[in-house]
């Protein structure tokens, strides 16, 4: 071999990528022990030395934060949940106020996004929005922690799971909106949305609903039909629910997009909202105020959420300890549950 050995030479001899060589030489847990040993052995044979100047340059602050948006199934080609779009502006402003540029990257959940930012050092920290199936997602979060990556996420707050989370109090939101329906005289409830550990935010909304019903003396759990956050999924779930013939006068939906689909299904079945069945959502996206009738929902403060995500991440970058934070859930009462329009 002519000249000084490079990481690309090691990658060629080891039969791996150059980024894998970089990880292996840092003893990254993302590389299995056998591959690490092989790479390190070849590096020793080639008398390879890490360029300390380049390494220190990479470790300097970039004054950039990375916002990773993950694809969501949508009714259009955007593949972005409109709720997260509303948070984007506040994250951008808050980053600028803290003296950071913001790098926005659209990711597929199947990508190795958890490894890319360790090697490239494009940013000093990462904000994560959206995650699909949480049981798959949390493994990648654990690897980010192992790499000592600075990151925060919008999502369910769970001390047993990795990362610093900022979230709305989903249990409180589910409780308050169900309590409101009970006060309006509704007695027969259904919940449309996931209700297990794969979708913890929806699950907390469902648990809050069940708690309100239990306090009101309900002896059985509400009917529950799975749905993901799309109008089409809400529509199909509502059709499935209606086909059971179960008596109901209130449908609590895990998101506004689901609720919009549910409302279309009820219109198609010529069931009056709210006279026969009340419908409520969650998120307070812009479209919620333009449905027919306007949708009662739970507001999540996206402006404050964006600010808290950025401030928490910057504090982590500075070496300051941070704790998960819950934002209060705020009811937005509109006509889909039988009340006068207030907002």
């Amino acid at each position: 071999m002519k000249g000084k050995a490079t990481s690309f030479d090691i990658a060629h001899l080891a039969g791996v990528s150059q980024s894998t060589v970089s990880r292996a030489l840092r003893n990254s847990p993302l590389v299995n022990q056998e591959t690490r040993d092989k790479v390190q052995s070849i590096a020793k044979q080639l008398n390879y030395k890490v360029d300390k100047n380049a390494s220190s340059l990479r470790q300097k602050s970039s004054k950039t934060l990375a916002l990773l948006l993950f694809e969501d199934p949508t009714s259009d080609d955007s593949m972005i949940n409109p709720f997260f779009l509303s948070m984007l502006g506040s994250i951008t402003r808050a980053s600028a106020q803290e003296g950071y540029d913001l790098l926005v990257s659209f990711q597929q959940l199947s990508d190795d996004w958890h490894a890319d930012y360790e090697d490239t050092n494009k940013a000093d920290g990462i904000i994560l929005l959206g995650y699909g199936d949480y049981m798959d997602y949390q493994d990648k979060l654990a690897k980010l922690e192992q790499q000592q990556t600075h990151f925060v996420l919008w999502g369910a707050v769970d001390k047993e799971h990795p990362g610093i989370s900022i979230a709305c109090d989903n249990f409180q939101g589910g409780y308050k909106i169900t309590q409101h329906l009970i006060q309006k005289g509704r007695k027969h409830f259904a919940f449309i949305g996931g209700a297990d550990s794969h979708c913890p935010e929806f699950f907390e909304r469902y648990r809050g609903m069940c708690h309100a019903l239990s306090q009101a003396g309900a002896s059985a759990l509400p009917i529950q039909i799975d749905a993901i956050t799309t109008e089409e999924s809400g529509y199909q779930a509502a059709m499935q629910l209606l086909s059971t013939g179960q008596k109901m006068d209130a449908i609590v939906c895990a998101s506004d997009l689901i609720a919009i689909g549910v409302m279309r299904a009820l219109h198609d079945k010529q069931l009056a909202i709210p006279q026969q069945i009340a419908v409520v959502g969650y998120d307070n996206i812009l479209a919620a105020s333009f449905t027919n009738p306007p949708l009662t929902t739970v507001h999540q403060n996206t402006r404050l959420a964006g600010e808290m995500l950025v401030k928490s991440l910057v504090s982590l970058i500075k070496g300051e300890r941070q704790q998960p934070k819950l934002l209060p859930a705020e009811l937005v009462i509109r006509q889909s549950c039988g009340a006068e329009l207030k907002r």
Side-chain angles (χ1 to χ4, degrees):
M1 182 177 294
K2 295 181 179 180
K4 184 179 177 182
T6 68
S7 60
F8 291 98
D9 297 323
I10 299 172
H12 175 71
L13 293 172
V16 298
S17 67
Q18 189 272 339
S19 60
T20 298
V21 170
S22 298
R23 296 177 200 141
L25 293 176
R26 290 198 307 273
N27 287 313
S28 168
L30 291 173
V31 181
N32 64 54
Q33 188 63 51
E34 181 181 356
T35 303
R36 270 187 273 169
D37 290 343
K38 182 178 180 181
V39 167
Q40 290 171 8
S41 175
I42 293 172
K44 186 175 182 180
Q45 292 172 24
L46 297 179
N47 197 29
Y48 174 79
K49 303 293 183 184
V50 175
D51 186 337
K52 293 183 178 179
N53 289 330
S55 179
S56 63
L57 181 62
R58 285 195 299 270
Q59 292 172 7
K60 289 182 179 179
S61 172
S62 65
K63 295 301 290 183
T64 299
L65 304 179
L67 171 61
L68 271 57
L69 282 161
F70 295 92
E71 65 177 17
D72 268 316
T74 57
S75 57
D76 56 20
D77 294 331
S78 69
M79 301 299 286
I80 300 176
N81 187 326
F83 171 73
F84 292 133
L85 287 177
S86 66
M87 202 181 290
L88 179 58
S90 64
I91 291 174
T92 304
R93 286 190 296 273
S95 298
Q97 288 169 0
E98 294 288 339
Y100 283 82
D101 292 326
L102 185 69
L103 171 66
V104 181
S105 180
F106 187 65
Q107 303 286 322
Q108 291 186 330
L109 286 167
S110 58
D111 289 346
D112 288 333
W113 51 267
H114 60 294
D116 291 343
Y117 283 83
E118 177 196 17
D119 293 326
T120 61
N121 289 286
K122 296 176 184 175
D124 300 332
I126 303 173
I127 298 171
L128 304 170
L129 296 182
Y131 49 72
D133 187 327
Y134 190 77
M135 300 306 288
D136 296 332
Y137 182 72
Q138 65 176 340
D139 290 338
K140 293 185 177 182
L141 297 183
K143 289 178 179 176
L144 284 176
E145 279 210 326
Q146 291 172 10
Q147 295 166 199
Q148 298 183 321
T149 301
H150 302 113
F151 73 98
V152 295
L153 62 146
W154 173 263
V157 173
D158 187 340
K159 293 181 180 179
E160 294 182 3
H161 290 151
I164 300 300
S165 297
I166 310 296
C168 176
D169 190 335
N170 291 292
F171 183 91
Q172 180 195 48
Y175 175 83
K176 288 172 69 174
I177 204 161
T178 304
Q179 191 178 54
H180 177 77
L181 289 167
I182 292 169
Q183 291 169 353
K184 301 299 292 184
R186 306 291 168 162
K187 299 183 182 299
H188 307 286
F189 284 75
F191 180 87
I192 295 184
D196 58 29
S197 57
H198 292 272
C199 38
E201 290 175 281
F202 284 8
F203 193 20
E204 282 299 289
R205 294 166 195 178
Y206 174 74
R207 288 183 60 247
M209 172 188 181
C210 292
H211 184 60
L213 291 174
S214 176
Q215 281 191 339
S219 58
L221 292 175
I223 310 163
Q224 184 267 325
I225 304 290
D226 283 343
I228 61 173
T229 307
T230 67
E231 300 94 327
E232 180 61 27
S233 185
Y235 181 89
Q236 296 299 334
M239 287 300 192
Q240 180 184 344
L241 176 63
L242 295 172
S243 70
T244 66
Q246 295 265 11
K247 185 177 182 181
M248 73 195 76
D249 56 14
I251 300 177
V252 177
C253 301
S255 75
D256 288 346
L257 290 177
I258 292 173
I260 290 169
V262 168
M263 294 175 77
R264 182 161 65 88
L266 294 179
H267 285 311
D268 286 353
K269 290 292 185 178
Q270 298 184 332
L271 293 168
I273 306 169
Q275 292 84 352
Q276 291 174 273
I277 301 178
V279 179
V280 297
Y282 206 106
D283 287 337
N284 195 30
I285 63 173
L286 180 62
S289 62
F290 291 95
T291 58
N292 182 26
L295 180 64
T296 291
T297 186
V298 176
H299 177 67
Q300 304 189 80
N301 191 329
T302 54
R303 179 192 58 77
L304 182 58
E307 292 174 358
M308 292 178 72
L309 284 165
V310 171
K311 288 182 181 297
S312 295
L313 181 55
V314 171
S315 294
L316 286 175
I317 293 168
K318 293 177 180 177
E320 301 168 3
R321 291 180 63 86
Q322 291 294 298
Q323 295 296 324
K325 299 178 180 67
L326 280 178
L327 302 180
E330 305 170 17
L331 291 188
V332 179
I333 308 302
R334 300 192 179 103
Q335 292 168 311
S336 68
C337 65
E340 293 295 322
L341 181 62
K342 294 183 179 179
R343 178 171 175 173

